[in-house]
Amino acid sequence: MKDFNINIIPCLNDNYSYVISVGRDALVIDPSESKPIINFIEKNNLELKFILNTHHHFDHVGGNLELKDKYNLLIAGNENDKKRIPGIDIFLNETEKFVFNSHEFQVINTPGHTSDCISFYVKSMKSVFTGDAVFSLGCGRLFEGSPNEMWKSICKIKSLPDDTNIFCGHEYTMNNAIFTKAIIDNEAIDLKIREIKKLRSNNIPTIPTTIAAEKKLNIFFQADSDEIKSLFSKELINDEEAFKMIRLAKDNF
Ligand code: ZN
Ligand code: FE
Protein backbone atom coordinates (compact mmCIF):
# COMPACT_ATOMS: atom_id res chain seq x y z
CA MET A 1 0.00 0.00 0.00
CA LYS A 2 1.16 3.50 -0.78
CA ASP A 3 2.48 5.12 2.39
CA PHE A 4 3.84 8.33 0.84
CA ASN A 5 2.72 11.51 -0.90
CA ILE A 6 4.58 13.52 -3.50
CA ASN A 7 3.40 17.12 -3.46
CA ILE A 8 4.24 19.58 -6.20
CA ILE A 9 5.02 23.03 -4.81
CA PRO A 10 5.23 25.78 -7.46
CA CYS A 11 8.01 28.26 -6.64
CA LEU A 12 9.38 31.46 -8.18
CA ASN A 13 8.26 31.82 -11.82
CA ASP A 14 8.28 28.32 -13.20
CA ASN A 15 10.15 26.15 -10.67
CA TYR A 16 8.77 23.08 -8.94
CA SER A 17 9.89 21.92 -5.53
CA TYR A 18 8.67 18.57 -4.25
CA VAL A 19 7.61 17.86 -0.70
CA ILE A 20 7.57 14.12 -0.09
CA SER A 21 5.82 12.98 3.04
CA VAL A 22 5.73 9.59 4.73
CA GLY A 23 3.31 9.90 7.63
CA ARG A 24 4.14 13.23 9.28
CA ASP A 25 7.81 13.15 8.24
CA ALA A 26 8.72 15.12 5.14
CA LEU A 27 11.63 16.01 2.92
CA VAL A 28 11.81 18.61 0.19
CA ILE A 29 13.66 18.35 -3.08
CA ASP A 30 15.13 21.60 -4.44
CA PRO A 31 13.43 24.30 -2.35
CA SER A 32 13.73 27.31 -4.65
CA GLU A 33 12.47 29.57 -1.89
CA SER A 34 11.36 28.95 1.68
CA LYS A 35 7.90 30.57 1.88
CA PRO A 36 5.80 28.18 -0.23
CA ILE A 37 7.51 25.23 1.48
CA ILE A 38 6.87 26.60 4.97
CA ASN A 39 3.23 27.28 4.06
CA PHE A 40 2.75 23.73 2.87
CA ILE A 41 4.54 22.18 5.85
CA GLU A 42 2.54 24.22 8.39
CA LYS A 43 -0.79 23.74 6.67
CA ASN A 44 -0.35 19.98 6.57
CA ASN A 45 1.19 19.72 10.02
CA LEU A 46 4.32 17.98 8.71
CA GLU A 47 7.81 17.76 10.13
CA LEU A 48 10.45 18.74 7.61
CA LYS A 49 13.48 16.50 8.18
CA PHE A 50 15.62 16.81 5.05
CA ILE A 51 16.39 18.93 2.02
CA LEU A 52 17.69 17.10 -1.05
CA ASN A 53 19.38 19.18 -3.74
CA THR A 54 19.90 18.09 -7.35
CA HIS A 55 22.39 20.89 -8.06
CA HIS A 56 23.68 24.21 -6.76
CA HIS A 57 21.77 26.75 -8.89
CA PHE A 58 20.00 29.43 -6.88
CA ASP A 59 16.54 28.48 -8.12
CA HIS A 60 17.07 25.03 -6.54
CA VAL A 61 18.81 25.89 -3.26
CA GLY A 62 17.38 29.37 -2.59
CA GLY A 63 15.34 28.16 0.40
CA ASN A 64 18.06 26.00 1.97
CA LEU A 65 19.35 28.26 4.72
CA GLU A 66 16.03 29.77 5.76
CA LEU A 67 14.48 26.31 6.04
CA LYS A 68 17.49 25.01 7.95
CA ASP A 69 17.20 27.97 10.28
CA LYS A 70 13.53 27.30 10.95
CA TYR A 71 13.49 23.51 11.13
CA ASN A 72 15.81 20.98 12.67
CA LEU A 73 16.75 19.45 9.32
CA LEU A 74 19.72 18.14 7.37
CA ILE A 75 20.69 19.07 3.81
CA ALA A 76 21.91 16.42 1.38
CA GLY A 77 23.60 16.90 -1.97
CA ASN A 78 26.40 15.67 -4.19
CA GLU A 79 29.68 15.42 -2.27
CA ASN A 80 31.36 17.09 -5.26
CA ASP A 81 29.05 20.08 -4.82
CA LYS A 82 29.82 20.57 -1.13
CA LYS A 83 31.37 23.99 -1.75
CA ARG A 84 28.36 25.17 -3.76
CA ILE A 85 25.32 23.84 -1.90
CA PRO A 86 24.43 26.17 1.00
CA GLY A 87 24.25 24.44 4.39
CA ILE A 88 25.06 20.95 3.12
CA ASP A 89 25.38 18.28 5.87
CA ILE A 90 25.11 14.95 4.05
CA PHE A 91 27.50 14.17 1.20
CA LEU A 92 25.98 11.86 -1.40
CA ASN A 93 27.48 9.83 -4.21
CA GLU A 94 26.32 7.05 -6.49
CA THR A 95 27.44 4.28 -4.14
CA GLU A 96 25.91 5.55 -0.91
CA LYS A 97 22.23 5.07 -0.15
CA PHE A 98 20.01 7.79 1.22
CA VAL A 99 17.11 6.17 3.04
CA PHE A 100 14.05 8.13 4.16
CA ASN A 101 11.51 6.22 6.26
CA SER A 102 12.39 2.96 4.46
CA HIS A 103 12.31 4.54 0.97
CA GLU A 104 15.65 4.34 -0.78
CA PHE A 105 16.74 7.40 -2.78
CA GLN A 106 19.27 6.21 -5.32
CA VAL A 107 21.69 8.86 -6.55
CA ILE A 108 22.30 8.91 -10.30
CA ASN A 109 25.03 11.20 -11.59
CA THR A 110 23.46 13.21 -14.42
CA PRO A 111 26.05 15.84 -15.37
CA GLY A 112 25.67 18.20 -18.32
CA HIS A 113 23.56 21.09 -17.03
CA THR A 114 26.17 21.44 -14.27
CA SER A 115 29.20 19.26 -13.70
CA ASP A 116 27.73 17.77 -10.51
CA CYS A 117 23.99 17.50 -11.19
CA ILE A 118 22.40 14.44 -9.65
CA SER A 119 19.00 12.79 -10.01
CA PHE A 120 17.17 10.81 -7.33
CA TYR A 121 15.56 7.54 -8.33
CA VAL A 122 13.09 6.13 -5.82
CA LYS A 123 12.05 2.70 -6.99
CA SER A 124 9.50 2.23 -4.19
CA MET A 125 7.77 5.42 -5.41
CA LYS A 126 8.21 4.62 -9.12
CA SER A 127 9.66 8.10 -9.44
CA VAL A 128 12.77 9.95 -10.49
CA PHE A 129 13.59 13.55 -9.58
CA THR A 130 15.76 15.01 -12.30
CA GLY A 131 16.24 18.67 -11.41
CA ASP A 132 17.38 20.43 -14.59
CA ALA A 133 18.87 17.34 -16.28
CA VAL A 134 15.68 16.15 -17.95
CA PHE A 135 12.46 18.12 -18.49
CA SER A 136 9.18 17.08 -20.01
CA LEU A 137 9.95 17.16 -23.76
CA GLY A 138 13.36 18.69 -23.10
CA CYS A 139 16.62 18.71 -21.21
CA GLY A 140 18.70 21.28 -19.39
CA ARG A 141 21.04 23.74 -21.02
CA LEU A 142 24.69 22.76 -20.99
CA PHE A 143 26.26 25.26 -18.61
CA GLU A 144 29.14 23.14 -17.35
CA GLY A 145 29.03 19.91 -19.32
CA SER A 146 29.52 18.60 -22.83
CA PRO A 147 26.83 17.23 -25.14
CA ASN A 148 28.43 13.79 -24.71
CA GLU A 149 28.04 13.97 -20.96
CA MET A 150 24.44 15.11 -21.20
CA TRP A 151 23.56 12.39 -23.71
CA LYS A 152 25.03 9.81 -21.33
CA SER A 153 22.97 11.28 -18.49
CA ILE A 154 19.81 11.12 -20.58
CA CYS A 155 20.54 7.50 -21.49
CA LYS A 156 20.75 6.66 -17.78
CA ILE A 157 17.34 8.20 -17.14
CA LYS A 158 15.94 6.59 -20.28
CA SER A 159 16.96 3.16 -19.03
CA LEU A 160 14.67 3.39 -15.97
CA PRO A 161 11.40 1.41 -16.12
CA ASP A 162 8.82 2.84 -18.54
CA ASP A 163 6.25 3.47 -15.83
CA THR A 164 8.62 5.65 -13.77
CA ASN A 165 7.24 9.13 -13.09
CA ILE A 166 9.61 11.98 -13.89
CA PHE A 167 9.49 15.00 -11.61
CA CYS A 168 11.66 17.80 -13.02
CA GLY A 169 12.70 21.24 -11.83
CA HIS A 170 10.73 23.49 -14.15
CA GLU A 171 7.44 23.93 -15.99
CA TYR A 172 9.03 24.27 -19.45
CA THR A 173 6.76 21.78 -21.19
CA MET A 174 4.89 24.14 -23.53
CA ASN A 175 8.04 25.86 -24.73
CA ASN A 176 9.66 22.47 -25.33
CA ALA A 177 6.57 21.25 -27.18
CA ILE A 178 6.66 24.23 -29.54
CA PHE A 179 10.30 23.46 -30.31
CA THR A 180 9.47 19.79 -30.85
CA LYS A 181 6.68 20.70 -33.28
CA ALA A 182 9.09 22.88 -35.25
CA ILE A 183 11.37 19.87 -35.72
CA ILE A 184 8.93 17.03 -36.13
CA ASP A 185 5.39 18.05 -36.87
CA ASN A 186 3.00 15.17 -36.26
CA GLU A 187 -0.32 14.32 -34.69
CA ALA A 188 1.22 13.12 -31.44
CA ILE A 189 2.82 16.48 -30.71
CA ASP A 190 -0.38 18.35 -31.67
CA LEU A 191 -2.31 16.20 -29.23
CA LYS A 192 0.31 16.85 -26.56
CA ILE A 193 0.15 20.61 -27.14
CA ARG A 194 -3.62 20.54 -26.71
CA GLU A 195 -3.19 18.58 -23.48
CA ILE A 196 -0.58 21.01 -22.13
CA LYS A 197 -2.78 24.02 -23.01
CA LYS A 198 -5.71 22.55 -21.15
CA LEU A 199 -3.65 21.81 -18.05
CA ARG A 200 -1.87 25.14 -17.99
CA SER A 201 -5.04 27.20 -18.55
CA ASN A 202 -6.34 25.55 -15.38
CA ASN A 203 -3.02 26.22 -13.64
CA ILE A 204 -2.32 22.48 -13.34
CA PRO A 205 1.32 21.28 -13.67
CA THR A 206 2.19 19.13 -16.70
CA ILE A 207 4.41 17.21 -14.28
CA PRO A 208 4.95 14.36 -13.67
CA THR A 209 5.62 12.90 -17.05
CA THR A 210 6.81 9.30 -17.49
CA ILE A 211 9.77 7.55 -19.07
CA ALA A 212 7.40 5.96 -21.60
CA ALA A 213 5.92 9.33 -22.61
CA GLU A 214 9.34 10.95 -22.96
CA LYS A 215 10.64 8.07 -25.08
CA LYS A 216 7.76 8.76 -27.45
CA LEU A 217 7.89 12.55 -27.64
CA ASN A 218 11.07 14.00 -26.13
CA ILE A 219 13.33 14.70 -29.08
CA PHE A 220 16.40 14.73 -26.83
CA PHE A 221 15.62 11.13 -25.86
CA GLN A 222 15.66 10.21 -29.55
CA ALA A 223 19.16 11.27 -30.57
CA ASP A 224 19.77 7.59 -31.30
CA SER A 225 16.88 7.38 -33.76
CA ASP A 226 17.71 7.23 -37.47
CA GLU A 227 14.56 9.18 -38.27
CA ILE A 228 15.57 12.07 -36.00
CA LYS A 229 19.18 11.96 -37.18
CA SER A 230 18.06 12.30 -40.79
CA LEU A 231 16.28 15.55 -39.91
CA PHE A 232 19.57 17.06 -38.77
CA SER A 233 22.13 15.63 -41.17
CA LYS A 234 22.30 14.02 -44.59
CA GLU A 235 25.43 12.19 -43.56
CA LEU A 236 25.66 9.33 -41.11
CA ILE A 237 26.16 10.74 -37.62
CA ASN A 238 26.49 9.06 -34.25
CA ASP A 239 24.15 9.57 -31.29
CA GLU A 240 26.42 12.11 -29.61
CA GLU A 241 26.65 14.26 -32.73
CA ALA A 242 22.89 14.09 -33.20
CA PHE A 243 22.32 15.07 -29.59
CA LYS A 244 24.71 18.00 -29.95
CA MET A 245 22.81 19.24 -33.01
CA ILE A 246 19.42 18.96 -31.30
CA ARG A 247 20.71 20.85 -28.25
CA LEU A 248 22.19 23.56 -30.47
CA ALA A 249 18.94 23.89 -32.42
CA LYS A 250 17.04 24.36 -29.14
CA ASP A 251 19.58 26.91 -27.85
CA ASN A 252 19.06 28.95 -31.00
CA PHE A 253 15.29 28.46 -31.20
ZN1 ZN B 1 19.76 24.75 -12.97
FE1 FE C 1 16.72 25.51 -12.64
Side-chain angles (χ1 to χ4, degrees), residues 15 55 57 59-60 113 132 170:
N15 276 84
H55 65 296
H57 282 159
D59 60 313
H60 298 256
H113 176 67
D132 292 353
H170 290 268

Side-chain angles (χ1 to χ4, degrees), residues 117-141:
C117 267
I118 55 177
S119 295
F120 299 102
Y121 175 50
V122 194
K123 198 177 170 192
S124 58
M125 298 181 184
K126 286 191 176 183
S127 297
V128 65
F129 300 86
T130 55
D132 292 353
V134 165
F135 297 123
S136 179
L137 305 183
C139 76
R141 275 177 189 270

Side-chain angles (χ1 to χ4, degrees), residues 155-175:
C155 288
K156 285 188 195 172
I157 300 297
K158 229 170 93 162
S159 70
L160 296 173
D162 271 349
D163 61 350
T164 305
N165 291 305
I166 304 175
F167 293 90
C168 58
H170 290 268
E171 178 62 63
Y172 287 162
T173 315
M174 184 51 118
N175 183 287

Side-chain angles (χ1 to χ4, degrees), residues 16-62:
Y16 289 134
S17 298
Y18 300 103
V19 171
I20 302 175
S21 58
V22 180
R24 280 193 59 205
D25 293 342
L27 66 76
V28 60
I29 297 183
D30 284 356
S32 314
E33 50 179 339
S34 61
K35 250 212 183 110
I37 311 301
I38 294 170
N39 288 346
F40 186 86
I41 294 291
E42 305 294 308
K43 197 173 145 203
N44 292 281
N45 199 22
L46 297 172
E47 278 182 47
L48 192 57
K49 298 278 175 85
F50 298 98
I51 292 172
L52 265 56
N53 290 127
T54 60
H55 65 296
H56 74 285
H57 282 159
F58 181 75
D59 60 313
H60 298 256
V61 303

Side-chain angles (χ1 to χ4, degrees), residues 85-142:
I85 290 179
I88 188 167
D89 304 288
I90 302 171
F91 306 118
L92 303 172
N93 60 49
E94 270 191 333
T95 55
E96 232 136 301
K97 284 173 196 155
F98 179 86
V99 181
F100 173 64
N101 289 24
S102 83
H103 292 274
E104 208 173 281
F105 284 64
Q106 188 194 330
V107 172
I108 306 175
N109 288 331
T110 45
H113 176 67
T114 69
S115 54
D116 303 298
C117 267
I118 55 177
S119 295
F120 299 102
Y121 175 50
V122 194
K123 198 177 170 192
S124 58
M125 298 181 184
K126 286 191 176 183
S127 297
V128 65
F129 300 86
T130 55
D132 292 353
V134 165
F135 297 123
S136 179
L137 305 183
C139 76
R141 275 177 189 270
L142 305 179

